[in-house]
Amino acid sequence: GYPNVGKSSLINSLKRSRACGVGATPGVTRCLQAVQLDKHIRLLDCPGVVLDSGDPPAAAPLRGALAPQRLRDPLSPACAILHRCPPEQVRGD
C-alpha cells in the first residue's frame, strides 16, 4: 500500500498491542514484518510502495512517497495541489 495510510496502525489495532512501529512521516517501516494475530492468521506489515506512474516528479510527494522535510523544492508539489483544485475552492468563494 501507499506510505502513511495506516497499515501498521491497523495491525496494531487488530493485535491490541504495539506490534509495529508507527509514525507521521514516511519510512518508519523499513522491512517486511510478520505479526501473528492468532493461531490461524498472520499479518504482514511492509514499507509503503509508490510505483512510478509517469507523472511529473512533483507528484511523488502528493502520494506520500517523500517526507515534506526532504523536499528540495516544496513549491512544485504545492503548485500541483493548486492545479488540481477548482479556483473557487482555493479562493474560498
Side-chain angles (χ1 to χ4, degrees):
Y2 282 112
N4 281 46
V5 295
K7 296 178 297 293
S8 300
S9 295
L10 177 64
I11 291 173
N12 286 343
S13 293
L14 292 171
K15 184 76 175 170
R16 296 178 191 226
S17 68
R18 187 177 152 105
C20 304
V22 297
T25 57
V28 173
T29 304
R30 300 240 179 235
C31 60
L32 188 69
Q33 176 182 356
V35 176
Q36 196 72 37
L37 189 59
D38 63 23
K39 68 180 188 174
H40 299 291
I41 299 174
R42 182 182 303 176
L43 303 172
L44 295 177
D45 189 24
C46 65
V49 176
V50 177
L51 301 175
D52 185 10
S53 64
D55 290 338
L62 303 181
R63 292 190 300 271
L66 297 171
Q69 299 83 358
R70 297 185 64 206
L71 295 177
R72 289 184 188 162
D73 173 25
L75 283 177
S76 295
C79 289
I81 291 170
L82 291 173
H83 281 105
R84 292 178 182 199
C85 296
E88 36 309 323
Q89 185 178 16
V90 176
R91 287 191 308 260
D93 293 348

